[in-house]
Amino acid sequence: MKLLNYIDGEMTEPASREYIDNYDPSTGQVYSHIPDSDERDVEAAVAAAEAAFPAWSDTSADVRSAILLRLAALIERDLEKLALAESIDQGKPVSLARAVDIPRAVANFRFYATAAMHLANESHESVGQAAINYTLRQPVGVVGCISPWNLPLYLFTWKIAPAIAAGCTVVAKPSEVTPVTAFELSKLSIEAGLPAGVLNIVHGTGPKVGSAIVAHKNVKAISFTGGTATGEAIARTAAPMFKKLSLELGGKNPNIIFADCNYDEMLATTIRSSFSNQGEICLCGSRIFVERPIYQKFKRDFSERVNALQVGDPLEPATDVGAIVSRPHFDKIMSYIELARQEGGHVLAGGQLVRPDGRCSGGWFIRPTIIEGLPFDCRTNQEEIFGPVVTIMPFDTEEEVLRYANSVRYGLSATVWTESLSRAHHFAAELESGIVWINCWLLRDLRTPFGGVKDSGVGREGGFEALRFFTEEKNVCIKY
Ligand code: NAD
């Protein structure tokens, strides 16, 4: 399979005519080739987006909405095909792609197709000065959307949908590690009747394509999701150009479990919050703090449940944990398990690679891993691993666990399990993170602000926040 760029409404070859290998992580084999694009392709995409901008930004919200709803319906029509493509490309169980990734891409387009119809401008009456102000909210122009490999279509469309709905035109780059569903989205955009140039998708590497999008003077805003180091590099280029920036970066999220919690619900959810998508969700809770009275029980029950998880072929319905997305990422996770051992950690479950029989024998699989006996401030507990690896630690007091939880450079999300209302509110206020889940995890309402504090990023996605990000306010003052 050979993928193509989507520029000015056409499927195009990269200017270089060069292609990069794309791997199926469950077999370790190359199964497709993606354009090795460069700044020439980005230049063509920006030119197409600029040419499309005047007409698209003038299109009424209801027309934009109708096109986005058509696109949502087409993704829904192709749900099975897209779920299979996502699973093969990313390594996640196809059951997860079918239940979460692709439905969420549909929801992203539906949500912003309808939200755009409800965005209103403010007015301020200056009483006593005989003046009235109204604030126009205008699309910023051509914007860049860059996304990672963990939830490919889910996160790609979480940026593209609000940008287009707000009246911007887009140059987007999916991760070169998981490009296939973005390629499918190009074809569906044509079928949905999206005008040429409104969405342009340029495939290729971060250093060539991503950085060319960020550095282009006519790209007015960058919406990025990915690693903190990449976010820093993007900010270094974009900040002196005064571009609007939304950065959703890494995490090292705490999962705090008090003895008074609803134990069964906590245990079932903690399995998911630790190992869903092979632990490759930025919101996974990888540092599990357990109040001492239930620590031993939790350790026993959690290890037993984790040892029973089925690791293997992502296409098998019974699989709980699929393949790690790439060989370099597999090596990185294994090196952190080794580091944890060197730091004195004791591996309670997992800790080793898995070689399934049959078609997946060459794939990159790691058994879900639980480590105990590490201090809160060691590297294993401070650095993002982004894989099926969690640590468990006992605690005695609220003050102590708050200090542990807030000790990292990241601040994306946190989970707290307690039946005490006052403790829940206290922790919600004191935890240094953009999102706090109490007695649940990954329960999403698309209207809510989504994003991190500290080194987990700047800005918020979700709800009207994203539409505001892709628009610029202009105040008009009229004296009467
Ligand atoms: P990454 O930063 O390596 O890559 C993300 C995207 O940026 C890719 O498309 C990549 O090609 C591109 N890129 C790389 N270098 C670039 C550059 N110099 N300029 C512009 N673009 C560049 O991240 P990844 O490995 O794909 O994803 C994993 C990371 O993403 C983890 O740190 C994870 O926590 C984070 N993440 C965060 C969220 C969130 O909402 N905060 C969600 C998902 C993933």
Side-chain angles (χ1 to χ4, degrees), residues 146-151 155 173-177 204-207 209-212 214 224-228 230-231 233-234 247-251 281-283 384 386 412 450 452 456 461:
I146 302 175
S147 61
W149 49 252
N150 63 326
L151 301 167
L155 291 175
K173 189 193 103 58
S175 169
E176 62 274 34
V177 183
T205 66
V209 176
S211 57
V214 174
F224 169 80
T225 299
T228 294
T230 314
I234 288 173
L247 301 174
E248 300 290 342
L249 309 178
I281 300 180
C282 53
L283 305 162
E384 185 183 45
F386 211 53
L412 189 54
F450 180 94
S456 290
E461 296 189 310

Side-chain angles (χ1 to χ4, degrees), residues 143 180 243 264 280 339 401 405-406 456-457 464 473:
V143 301
V180 172
K243 295 189 185 206
D264 292 342
E280 297 163 337
L339 173 71
V401 76
N406 288 339
S456 290
F464 287 120
E473 287 179 311

Side-chain angles (χ1 to χ4, degrees), residues 369-392:
T369 298
I370 310 171
I371 298 165
E372 77 163 348
L374 288 172
F376 76 94
D377 56 355
C378 67
R379 280 185 57 205
T380 306
N381 274 326
Q382 293 286 316
E383 298 175 13
E384 185 183 45
I385 301 173
F386 211 53
V389 180
V390 298
T391 59
I392 63 171

Side-chain angles (χ1 to χ4, degrees), residues 1 8 26 80 88 148 174 206 211 243 270 347 393 425 428 445 460:
M1 183 167 54
D8 204 12
S26 71
E80 278 303 320
I88 293 170
S211 57
K243 295 189 185 206
T270 296
V347 176
M393 286 159 276
H425 285 301
D445 181 326
R460 292 291 178 272

Side-chain angles (χ1 to χ4, degrees), residues 22 65 233 242 341:
N22 183 33
S65 175
F242 306 110
R341 287 196 171 99

